[in-house]
Amino acid sequence: MPKKKKIGSYPNTMIVISLTAALFLIGFCGLLVIQSKKLVSIIRQNVEVRVFVDKSVTKAGQDSILSIIQAKPFVLSSAEAQPITYVSKEDAAKEFIQGTKEDFVNFLGENPLRDSYRVKVREEYFEEVKLAQIKKELEQITGVYEVVYQENLADNINKNVTKIYIVLASFAVIMLIIIVLLVNNTIKLAIYSQRFLIRSMQLVGATNGFIQKPYVMRGAIQGLVGGILAAALLVVLQQVAVRNVEGLALLQEYEKIGILIGIVVILGISIGIASTYQSLARYLRMALDDLY
């Protein structure tokens, strides 16, 4: 004998599943943004400005140049990475030979390269105009022969990053709109099955607030459960990806991921409450004939 449907029953599972899927997609977009920003930050921090020293500069002169460079505000903090690296002309020759497989020292009879400092700059200075100003400022230091950096790299990276953020933001907004509409319609269908019970409560004198309270509370609980399930799926996905994709661990910012998880849960509760309240308001105002 089929089980009778209980009065006031509610398709909780369907709503929770819809909310979970929706919130998971939003959270996934958030993860992509967090990790792409971290990747860009790492790329920027590893771009170097090379300061070549005059051949006539003594060891004391090189130390003086180093002290001046270290005092500059654009130099990356030592807490983030090693900001300045000294490269002797012998080490530079070894790097060149290793990269080209050609021993130019034997061919020329001497090493024409110069001692240099490789300087990493702060992320906020990663713009073509600011890098050009840094080059000009460093070349004014006594004993500096030349300052070199990869021109146009900053502008190209910044332009590509802007395009990526625009695409991700557009996708997230479109997904949010679709998701809100989807969840809203799911809750509307659920409330539709309760329309006669709602009208019966109105007929016996129940106020709108009294009728709304249990449904809104249920919507909040559904949103909370959906948010927790979506957050759990995000954590599982993130951990599986970190264990199976080499180098991905460097892109993890667990504090921001924790904030994202909190936002997903809060968003779930907010969507559950707002959609339930909106759907209820429609039936509370509806005429009796329209219920049929």
Side-chain angles (χ1 to χ4, degrees):
M1 186 175 179
K3 187 177 180 181
K4 290 185 177 180
K5 196 173 182 180
K6 186 179 178 182
I7 295 176
S9 61
Y10 206 69
N12 290 302
T13 304
M14 179 177 65
I15 295 173
V16 169
I17 290 174
S18 298
L19 277 168
T20 301
L23 295 168
F24 174 76
L25 289 174
I26 293 175
F28 182 70
C29 288
L31 271 180
L32 288 179
V33 170
I34 290 172
Q35 298 192 357
S36 63
K37 288 187 72 174
K38 181 63 176 179
L39 176 60
V40 171
S41 178
I42 291 174
I43 292 173
R44 287 173 172 173
Q45 290 177 9
N46 282 279
V47 172
E48 297 175 330
V49 175
R50 300 194 177 188
V51 181
F52 292 96
V53 180
D54 281 327
K55 291 184 177 181
S56 60
V57 174
T58 62
K59 181 66 173 62
Q62 290 182 354
D63 292 340
S64 176
I65 292 172
L66 176 60
S67 299
I68 294 172
I69 295 174
Q70 288 174 332
K72 297 294 183 181
F74 53 76
V75 177
L76 187 68
S77 170
S78 57
E80 299 175 73
Q82 186 175 356
I84 304 174
T85 304
Y86 173 75
V87 180
S88 66
K89 62 181 183 180
E90 290 78 18
D91 291 336
K94 289 178 183 178
E95 285 184 7
F96 187 88
I97 293 170
Q98 186 176 6
T100 61
K101 306 301 180 184
E102 295 181 6
D103 192 346
F104 68 96
V105 176
N106 289 334
F107 177 75
L108 297 175
E110 64 174 347
N111 183 358
L113 301 180
R114 300 172 183 271
D115 298 332
S116 65
Y117 291 103
R118 296 179 181 177
V119 183
K120 294 181 180 179
V121 300
R122 293 181 182 273
E123 193 172 345
E124 57 265 31
Y125 289 88
F126 194 76
E127 295 177 15
E128 197 63 35
V129 175
K130 292 182 179 179
L131 288 174
Q133 182 60 38
I134 289 172
K135 170 182 168 71
K136 182 178 179 181
E137 187 176 336
L138 290 175
E139 285 181 337
Q140 292 176 350
I141 300 173
T142 303
V144 170
Y145 174 76
E146 185 183 18
V147 176
V148 176
Y149 67 93
Q150 193 168 346
E151 296 184 10
N152 299 321
L153 176 65
D155 281 351
N156 290 335
I157 290 178
N158 289 334
K159 287 177 182 177
N160 290 330
V161 167
T162 301
K163 290 178 183 178
I164 292 171
Y165 287 163
I166 290 174
V167 170
L168 285 175
S170 302
F171 179 74
V173 169
I174 292 171
M175 287 301 304
L176 182 60
I177 293 171
I178 294 173
I179 285 162
V180 169
L181 291 174
L182 174 65
V183 172
N184 200 36
N185 287 334
T186 303
I187 292 179
K188 277 183 179 179
L189 289 173
I191 298 295
Y192 178 80
S193 66
Q194 304 287 295
R195 66 193 188 283
F196 292 114
L197 178 60
I198 292 171
R199 177 45 58 97
S200 298
M201 294 173 71
Q202 284 181 314
L203 292 175
V204 298
T207 63
N208 287 350
F210 180 83
I211 296 171
Q212 288 172 331
K213 185 176 180 180
Y215 288 101
V216 172
M217 288 294 294
R218 186 177 293 180
I221 293 172
Q222 290 166 343
L224 175 63
V225 173
I228 291 173
L229 290 176
L233 289 174
L234 284 172
V235 171
V236 170
L237 175 66
Q238 182 257 348
Q239 289 298 315
V240 170
V242 167
R243 292 177 183 177
N244 290 277
V245 179
E246 186 178 356
L248 192 60
L250 297 173
L251 304 182
Q252 305 310 304
E253 294 188 277
Y254 291 102
E255 183 178 344
K256 291 183 179 179
I257 292 174
I259 293 172
L260 174 65
I261 289 173
I263 291 173
V264 167
V265 174
I266 293 172
L267 186 60
I269 296 172
S270 301
I271 292 175
I273 291 175
S275 297
T276 303
Y277 185 85
Q278 182 185 3
S279 300
L280 274 170
R282 176 188 175 191
Y283 291 107
L284 289 173
R285 297 191 303 265
M286 191 174 288
L288 181 61
D289 292 340
D290 294 334
L291 293 177
Y292 297 91

